[in-house]
């Protein structure tokens, strides 16, 4: 049994050097994924459990591909087909999994704090793959890698994050990571999507999209998270698209060549028009590619201790 367990639960509290190290490793592993033979033996003998209690396409598949490219064994686990559906608790489920001795658990859960709970209660390395509206650290790392690769740096960038800020774990993790790396952040959305505490996070808050986008190096659009909200937080998709959706006219306010980003999944025609989602400035699919690279980097950082101690 390993004696030294690292986790990745949040970017809050990580230093600039630690984030830079993930980005450098991500760049290295992106190179591995671009080779004809994409597999390295680095995490042979390591077992990774993908414990996804909430739906996912990009994060789940990219963690699975990342683990397989590192030669780890993987086991996928969905709530609907497990005994969670029969009322088993998260802790009992985790203890049951631990009896089978996995080394790393990648968890996505609708409840904020679920990965932290596992980290306190089970002796495996825990990776947060998104917990409720709280944090999505690997998404923010892959976003920062994409910015660094296109714009050459993160420090001093003007990054506009637009949309359903209040429910967004992507916004929270990007704010923590980007601030640590020295970027300036503007957030914008309808007032009902802007919780008052965002004023304390060191970001500029706008209730209109135009001033947030003006002169921005990066425009990151977010999906409206209807699954996390009650009724009546916004009038209609149509009105939202008119005032807060990114279209060609609004994008002209950003710097020429500004990156258009979106963590996915997209609601085309709501937060972003189809032509802008697919335009030359859009790096949305590159974010997906960088997702595999960053997840290889994170699995390596956490798994290398376990390999060394084996
Ligand atoms: N960006 C993101 O987390 O996408 P998925 O929900 O598809 O994993």
């Amino acid at each position: 049994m390993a004696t030294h367990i690292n986790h990745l639960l949040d970017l809050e509290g990580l230093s600039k050097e630690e984030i830079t190290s993930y980005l450098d490793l991500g760049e290295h592993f992106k190179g591995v994924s671009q080779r004809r033979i994409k597999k390295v033996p680095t995490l042979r003998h390591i077992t990774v459990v993908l414990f996804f209690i909430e739906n996912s396409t990009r994060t789940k598949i990219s963690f699975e591909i990342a683990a397989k490219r590192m030669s780890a064994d993987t086991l996928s686990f969905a709530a609907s087909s497990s005994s969670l559906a029969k009322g088993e608790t998260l802790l009992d489920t985790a203890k049951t999994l631990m009896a089978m001795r996995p080394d790393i658990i990648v968890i996505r859960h609708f409840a904020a704090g679920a990965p932290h709970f596992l980290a306190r209660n089970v002796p495996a390395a825990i990776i947060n793959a998104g917990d409720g509206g709280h944090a999505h650290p690997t998404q923010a790392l892959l976003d920062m890698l994409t910015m660094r690769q296109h714009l050459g740096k993160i420090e001093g960038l003007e990054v506009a994050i637009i949309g359903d800020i209040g429910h967004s774990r992507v916004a929270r993790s990007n704010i923590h990571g980007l601030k640590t790396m020295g970027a300036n952040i503007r957030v914008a959305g309808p007032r009902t999507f802007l919780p008052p505490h965002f004023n304390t996070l060191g970001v500029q808050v706008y209730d209109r999209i135009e001033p947030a986008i003006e002169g921005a190096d990066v425009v990151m659009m977010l999906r409206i998270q209807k699954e996390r909200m009650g009724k009546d937080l916004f009038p209609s998709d149509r009105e939202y698209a008119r005032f807060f959706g990114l279209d060609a006219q609004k994008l002209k306010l950003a710097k020429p060549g500004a990156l258009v980003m979106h963590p996915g999944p997209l609601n085309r025609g709501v937060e972003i028009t189809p032509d802008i989602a697919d335009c030359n400035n859009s790096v949305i699919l590159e974010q997906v590619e960088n997702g595999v690279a960053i997840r290889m980097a994170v699995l390596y950082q956490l798994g290398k201790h376990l390999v060394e101690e084996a």
Side-chain angles (χ1 to χ4, degrees), residues 101-119:
R101 296 186 175 272
D103 301 292
I104 299 176
I105 299 178
V106 180
I107 177 170
R108 167 167 290 190
H109 202 286
F110 52 82
H116 305 70
F117 176 77
L118 280 198

Side-chain angles (χ1 to χ4, degrees), residues 55-60 108 129 136 139 169-170 263-265 295:
N55 292 345
S56 167
T57 297
R58 291 149 201 80
T59 313
K60 183 162 184 258
R108 167 167 290 190
H136 196 348
Q139 177 70 45
R169 55 195 176 206
V170 175
R295 283 155 187 146

Side-chain angles (χ1 to χ4, degrees), residues 205-226:
V205 182
Y206 298 92
D207 59 9
R208 290 177 53 239
I209 183 173
E210 289 83 359
I213 290 183
E214 199 168 341
D217 297 287
V218 177
V219 182
M220 184 185 294
M221 302 307 294
L222 301 174
R223 182 176 64 88
I224 301 171
Q225 311 234 338
K226 290 182 181 167

Side-chain angles (χ1 to χ4, degrees), residues 251-262:
L251 185 58
K252 281 185 191 155
L253 295 167
K255 277 196 188 141
L259 299 186
V260 173
M261 302 183 73
H262 193 306

Side-chain angles (χ1 to χ4, degrees), residues 232-271:
D232 303 332
L233 284 188
F234 71 105
S236 68
D237 284 357
R238 202 166 144 184
E239 191 165 326
Y240 183 85
R242 183 165 159 227
F243 289 105
F244 289 97
L246 186 64
D247 58 21
Q249 199 60 29
K250 295 192 190 100
L251 185 58
K252 281 185 191 155
L253 295 167
K255 277 196 188 141
L259 299 186
V260 173
M261 302 183 73
H262 193 306
L266 275 69
N267 286 139
R268 286 172 182 262
V270 182
E271 70 270 11

Side-chain angles (χ1 to χ4, degrees), residues 188-216:
R191 282 176 196 221
T192 45
F193 287 173
L194 295 170
H197 75 269
F198 269 78
N199 285 314
T200 66
L201 295 180
V203 300
Q204 287 174 271
V205 182
Y206 298 92
D207 59 9
R208 290 177 53 239
I209 183 173
E210 289 83 359
I213 290 183
E214 199 168 341

